[in-house]
Amino acid sequence: MSPLPSHDIGARPSSAVRAVGLGASAGGLAVLEQFLAQVPPLSGLAYVVVQHLDPTHKAMLVQLLQRATTMQVVEAADTMRLEPDVVYVIPPNKELTLVGGVLHLAEPAQPRGMRLPIDLLFSSLARDQGEQSIGVVLSGMGSDGTLGLQAIKSQGGLTLAQLPESAQFDSMPKSAIAAGCVDIIGLASELPDRIVHITEEKQGVSLLPEGGSDSNGNALASILGLLKDRSKHDLSDYKPSTLRRRIQRRLGVHGLTTHEAYEAFVRQNPQELDLLFKEMLIGVTSFFRDPTVWQELKDVVMPALLARCAQGTRLRAWVVGCSTGEEAYSLAMIFKESVAEFTGTESPSLQIFASDLSADAIAVARKGHYPQKIAGELGPARLATFFTAQDGGFLINKEIREMVLFAQHDVILDPPFTKLDLLSCRNLMIYFNAPLQSRLMPLFSYSLRPGGVLLLGGSETTGNSQTLFTPLSLKSRLYWRNENAVNTGSVYFPISPRRPTSRLPQEFKVSPSAVLPANLQTHAEQALLREFSPAAVLVNDQGDVVYINGRVGKYLEPASGKANWNIHVMARPSIRTQIAAALRQALQDKGRVEVRDLRLSEEPAQTSLDVIVKVMQEPHSLAGLVMIVFHEVAAPPPTKRRRRASDGVVDPQMVEELQRRKEEINALRQEMGASAEELQAANEELQSTNEELQSANEELTTSKEESQSMNEELQTLNQELRTKLDDLALAQSDMQNLLNSTDIATLFLDSELNVRRYTEQITRIIHLREGDIGRPLTDLASTLNYPTLNDDARQTLKTLTLTEKEITTTDGFWFLVRIKPYRTLTNVIQGVVITLIDITAAKKLESRLRNG
């Protein structure tokens, strides 16, 4: 697995808008407002908000979020192109994806309760923007967003999550953090500054050139040394530009500016080295990547390999840097399709070894479960043939899964797989420096059989190793391995440093002089060794195999899983215990131990196996190592026992005893048969019960997920409604304060002339209290000398005309009484409004003027 290829990010124009994906669920409205409120103006980023919404109700999210930010907030529409400093909100009952900087809406593919819209957006964001993608998971229930953040992380993008302690519902951020795919954890209000800071650093800080400064170069070498001590893998042969790009990203995550500062940080925080190592191993892969290459592999290479494959034999392939397994499974599917078209009498088989340096990637590959997005990579025919729908994704079929053996393997340090018919190493060597590339080509040639096929990536070539390979298709980077290609140069076989030996060199070199001895005696001795010497292996005191002589395939086999060249795991199960005991005894006695008459299987065999275990004392270079020799011995022919002639006298007691035992045996057989039938019936009942329980469990799980999803939708709707109620309560308070500030007595009546609302000033004229809401106007006592008030109000309600009169009160005041219809915003009449304006002063002035 290699760091992220720059050419795999996609040809994005420099003016393309970077998108920040915001995922929130229940309780997410408040944190979304907190987040957007802290986004600095003119950040140059577009923000895409996905929330779990009730599909049957119109969302108010746009209006609510607009209050929290000065940026424009719009509801996302199909084919809407992203613009900087704009917030795009997903509409209800839609799925939102991003392709080419353009938003796309679609009907949900999953039923309500099973939808994961945040994962869907984040995955499309990762595919569209690669290492430029940014994903943020905020408050919410469930685990939606985790897979999406993993996709962004795998592309080298930036991932953030809200601090779970600050979230109203912490399941979503907790799930993402537990998956190990979150770069930055913080409060919702703190995350925008971190995003903008890292974005500005990426845009404004250029990477150092290959030479770099001395201080940065020393810091880089020191960081790589710490990384090697921590991970046991040496990355010094990677291109410096690749290493600097990955380290630069970690600088941005932690707010550091120099390599020296980062070196000091990793020394104080060794766990950061684990994250850095994962960053270095970020890879890009997909099913049938570069379809023309796979088509040529199917049309040209596979028929040639199948044609020369002998009956009953197995082809062998090795996929180097398999990442999460898509390429290995693609090769298996191509082989299956080719075999279906092959007309041979017996169908050959293919064993694929798929290796990668990343344990996380190997774990994903072994599961063989992929998200729904692979449907676009495979097509409906292959999807139906080789996959089964499961858990919202697709599971590779058993026949394809069993063809691939996954192992964690370092192609730089670990011994290679050999006797291969096909070797695929695509887009890995472009991250290695030239010396390492020149070392790998002879190694690949050695691993392949004569006439084997080498497949490289689109930007890779065989370099200076043209004599080892013949081009089959330069466009597709397919090469045939030449005959006797290994003899044209030296091949190095590294010994893994995981179990170092003190007496063995770190490399074995097979040179031309070793292949072609100088004299006849040496020729003869080597021929005798090849023809007549027994199969043997040389191991160290830990059991690690350091040398193999002859064909040991009958006694040893590679173990499943991570590549492990240790005798204790490679020995056949039938002889493993005896070899381990003999090795232990030989090391203890510093001598020789022989184990005889071993059987490789339970079946009767014509030969038995003798094993000799000897601790080497000479020559001095092998001192301390152990030689294990396998020697098959022909089994002696079975001797026929002669039957003695009897005297013709038959013992009745013996006959009776034999008859009795025969009857007992028959009875036991019948009893065993009956027991077996009962056990079989019980087993079938248990299996049936288990299936029913499993079905019920699946139904309950589905119901739980649906209930949880609906609960999230209701939580979101409830939060929106609560916000609206708060707004309405505030508006009511504003209106009440406005009415009271006018100092005008006002009475609101409904269409039945019952009291709806009133101001404080009216209580001095009409005797009202809070309990009078809903009472008829005729039941109210007042100081007005206005007996026709109720009739005039009803006439106004009927004719919709204004009524205005000057009325006195019993205590000597004058009021201008206006009765107007009450109109709603939709122009519907729902009562009348009575206002009483104090005109006492005007009347007194008028009286004085008349009398004066």
Side-chain angles (χ1 to χ4, degrees), residues 153-451:
K153 182 80 170 178
S154 69
Q155 299 291 334
L158 181 64
T159 56
L160 305 94
Q162 182 182 0
L163 186 69
E165 290 77 7
S166 67
Q168 183 179 355
F169 298 92
D170 58 7
S171 296
M172 275 174 44
K174 273 188 174 180
S175 174
I177 294 169
C181 58
V182 178
D183 293 323
I184 298 174
I185 304 171
L187 299 174
S189 57
E190 299 173 349
L191 298 181
D193 285 338
R194 302 291 298 273
I195 293 173
V196 173
H197 177 71
I198 294 174
T199 303
E200 290 177 348
E201 278 198 346
K202 282 189 175 183
Q203 294 174 349
V205 180
S206 60
L207 295 176
L208 292 174
E210 291 291 331
S213 65
D214 292 338
S215 59
N216 273 305
N218 294 335
L220 177 62
S222 179
I223 292 170
L224 292 179
L226 295 172
L227 196 62
K228 180 180 179 181
D229 293 338
R230 180 80 172 185
S231 67
K232 309 304 179 187
H233 294 287
D234 187 3
L235 302 182
S236 59
D237 286 323
Y238 280 60
K239 287 183 178 178
S241 59
T242 297
L243 301 175
R244 287 191 179 96
R245 186 168 64 249
R246 288 295 156 211
I247 293 176
Q248 188 69 35
R249 185 177 180 281
R250 299 306 300 174
L251 291 177
V253 168
H254 296 292
L256 304 175
T257 57
T258 64
H259 288 176
E260 292 88 344
Y262 186 67
E263 178 192 355
F265 178 80
V266 297
R267 290 186 182 278
Q268 297 175 0
N269 303 273
Q271 67 275 8
E272 170 66 16
L273 291 169
D274 299 329
L275 299 175
L276 177 60
F277 183 67
K278 290 183 179 181
E279 292 279 348
M280 296 294 186
L281 302 184
I282 289 174
V284 176
T285 185
S286 62
F287 285 99
F288 298 100
R289 189 177 173 195
D290 300 328
T292 55
V293 176
W294 290 100
Q295 192 62 41
E296 191 161 1
L297 194 67
K298 179 181 177 182
D299 296 340
V300 179
V301 175
M302 282 300 174
L305 294 179
L306 293 173
R308 76 182 189 192
C309 182
Q311 292 187 4
T313 60
R314 170 180 287 187
L315 296 173
R316 291 161 60 90
W318 180 19
V319 178
V320 186
C322 67
S323 187
T324 48
E326 286 90 334
E327 185 172 334
Y329 289 134
S330 297
L331 180 60
M333 286 184 270
I334 284 289
F335 178 79
K336 281 290 185 182
E337 293 173 351
S338 300
V339 167
E341 301 172 2
F342 189 63
T343 57
T345 55
E346 183 177 351
S347 297
S349 59
L350 174 65
Q351 175 69 69
I352 302 174
F353 302 97
S355 63
D356 199 278
L357 193 56
S358 171
D360 294 338
I362 290 296
V364 174
R366 283 178 178 152
K367 291 180 181 178
H369 188 271
Y370 297 95
Q372 285 189 335
K373 67 177 183 179
I374 67 170
E377 303 168 1
L378 290 162
R382 281 177 174 153
L383 200 64
T385 305
F386 301 113
F387 289 85
T388 303
Q390 186 182 90
D391 298 335
F394 297 98
L395 181 68
I396 196 80
N397 287 350
K398 184 178 181 182
E399 62 171 351
I400 299 297
R401 175 63 185 88
E402 291 178 346
M403 292 174 61
V404 186
L405 177 64
F406 291 100
Q408 187 182 7
H409 180 277
D410 189 342
V411 70
I412 304 175
L413 297 175
D414 294 332
F417 295 91
T418 58
K419 298 181 180 180
L420 303 171
D421 298 282
L422 189 149
L423 192 154
S424 173
C425 181
R426 306 182 67 202
N427 301 317
L428 174 63
M429 291 193 299
I430 57 176
Y431 305 103
F432 298 155
N433 56 27
L436 179 57
Q437 292 181 16
S438 62
R439 285 166 49 194
L440 285 179
M441 280 296 110
L443 186 69
F444 291 164
S445 175
Y446 172 81
S447 298
L448 287 165
R449 291 190 175 113

Side-chain angles (χ1 to χ4, degrees), residues 53 87 208 216 221 242 273 285-286 296 325 347 350 352 386 469 499 523 563 627 709 728 757 794 816 826 845:
L53 303 173
V87 182
L208 292 174
N216 273 305
T242 297
L273 291 169
T285 185
S286 62
E296 191 161 1
S347 297
L350 174 65
I352 302 174
F386 301 113
F469 300 96
R499 292 191 179 95
H523 275 286
M627 184 71 75
S709 177
L728 290 174
R757 187 191 301 272
R794 194 168 296 281
L816 176 63
T826 56
L845 178 59

Side-chain angles (χ1 to χ4, degrees), residues 36 41 49 143 218 304 334 408 410 423 440 507 509 551 703 771:
L36 295 175
V49 177
S143 61
N218 294 335
I334 284 289
Q408 187 182 7
D410 189 342
L423 192 154
L440 285 179
E507 292 179 337
K509 181 178 180 181
R551 303 177 65 87
S703 299

Side-chain angles (χ1 to χ4, degrees), residues 725-738:
L725 288 175
D726 293 340
D727 292 345
L728 290 174
L730 183 61
Q732 182 178 0
S733 299
D734 293 342
M735 186 183 70
Q736 189 67 37
N737 281 277
L738 174 63

